[in-house]
Amino acid sequence: MNPQIILKFAGCICVFFSSLLIGNTLEKKLKQRYLFFLEMATALSCLEKEMLHYRLLLPQALEKASACCRAGPEKLFTYACVHFSERGGAFHSLWKDAVRQCISPDLFSEEELHLLSGISDALCCSDAILQKTRFDAYQAQLEQLGKDAKEIWKEKSSLYRRLSAAAGLFLILMLL
């Protein structure tokens, strides 16, 4: 067998699978975004229950909310809990730092990051009724964002897979 043909064939396989991997990576980002919003809404529900019903202090409530998550928000709650216990001070600025440090800005829009930064308003409120109202408002917004992200994920994931496969085939034809 001709070594040149074997090298072309191996190159074609590498190009095709790398293009499929790119499509899969883009799809995973969409899924990660959807799961983040879903878990963030669940974590806010957990925080509301811990802070309003069980009257836990903020660091303990953040720790419990962190235990409810697996797809990203746990880093946010753990960062806020650890740094609040260590430094104390204004939680509002600490939460904004946590959002900046723990959440990838390429996954979310500026408005979504602003919403996530604003959650500290509900966490820092001393009035229980106002705190419940704010928790409900943020939870509703996060659930809506989760629904929108799920629709986008379902819609675009197959598109990304098809386009990456087509791009891989196009590159193979270009190589041959």
Side-chain angles (χ1 to χ4, degrees), residues 37 41 115-116 119 134-148:
F37 286 131
L115 171 74
L116 293 172
I119 290 175
R134 287 181 177 172
F135 269 126
D136 290 343
Y138 282 117
Q139 206 169 2
Q141 288 176 328
L142 286 170
E143 286 172 358
Q144 184 60 43
L145 285 172
K147 287 177 186 175
D148 295 344

Side-chain angles (χ1 to χ4, degrees), residues 106-167:
D106 61 335
L107 269 171
F108 303 102
S109 70
E110 196 63 39
E111 295 85 25
E112 293 164 346
L113 289 172
H114 184 68
L115 171 74
L116 293 172
S117 295
I119 290 175
S120 64
D121 294 340
L123 294 172
C124 296
C125 186
S126 59
D127 181 22
I129 295 170
L130 184 58
Q131 189 176 33
K132 169 90 171 111
T133 305
R134 287 181 177 172
F135 269 126
D136 290 343
Y138 282 117
Q139 206 169 2
Q141 288 176 328
L142 286 170
E143 286 172 358
Q144 184 60 43
L145 285 172
K147 287 177 186 175
D148 295 344
K150 183 177 183 179
E151 287 176 20
I152 291 170
W153 170 52
K154 296 247 183 210
E155 179 183 303
K156 290 189 177 180
S157 64
S158 62
L159 175 70
Y160 285 156
R161 279 181 286 180
R162 290 181 188 139
L163 282 175
S164 66

Side-chain angles (χ1 to χ4, degrees), residues 6 10 25 37 54 58 67 71 73-74 83 90 95 116 140 144 161 164 168 170 175:
I6 292 172
T25 303
F37 286 131
Y54 298 127
L58 185 57
E74 74 277 359
H83 286 80
W95 183 259
L116 293 172
Q144 184 60 43
R161 279 181 286 180
S164 66
F170 176 74
L175 284 173

Side-chain angles (χ1 to χ4, degrees), residues 3 22-24 29 32 38 47-48 78-79 81 103 113 135 151 153 159 169:
I22 290 171
N24 193 23
K29 281 186 177 184
Q32 181 183 8
L38 186 69
L47 273 171
E48 178 184 355
T78 303
Y79 180 93
C81 177
I103 296 177
L113 289 172
F135 269 126
E151 287 176 20
W153 170 52
L159 175 70
L169 289 174

Side-chain angles (χ1 to χ4, degrees), residues 3-70:
Q4 194 174 27
I5 294 174
I6 292 172
L7 284 175
K8 279 188 176 182
F9 183 70
C12 290
I13 289 173
C14 289
V15 165
F16 183 70
F17 281 114
S18 65
S19 67
L20 288 178
L21 183 63
I22 290 171
N24 193 23
T25 303
L26 292 172
E27 178 190 0
K28 282 186 178 183
K29 281 186 177 184
L30 291 175
K31 184 177 182 181
Q32 181 183 8
R33 190 170 175 274
Y34 158 65
L35 290 175
F36 184 89
F37 286 131
L38 186 69
E39 285 199 354
M40 193 67 179
T42 304
L44 274 184
S45 174
C46 179
L47 273 171
E48 178 184 355
K49 181 177 74 172
E50 298 297 333
M51 291 179 76
L52 294 176
H53 298 290
Y54 298 127
R55 291 291 192 200
L56 286 181
L57 296 175
L58 185 57
Q60 290 87 10
L62 288 170
E63 197 174 309
K64 294 251 182 170
S66 175
C68 296
C69 303
R70 294 176 295 137

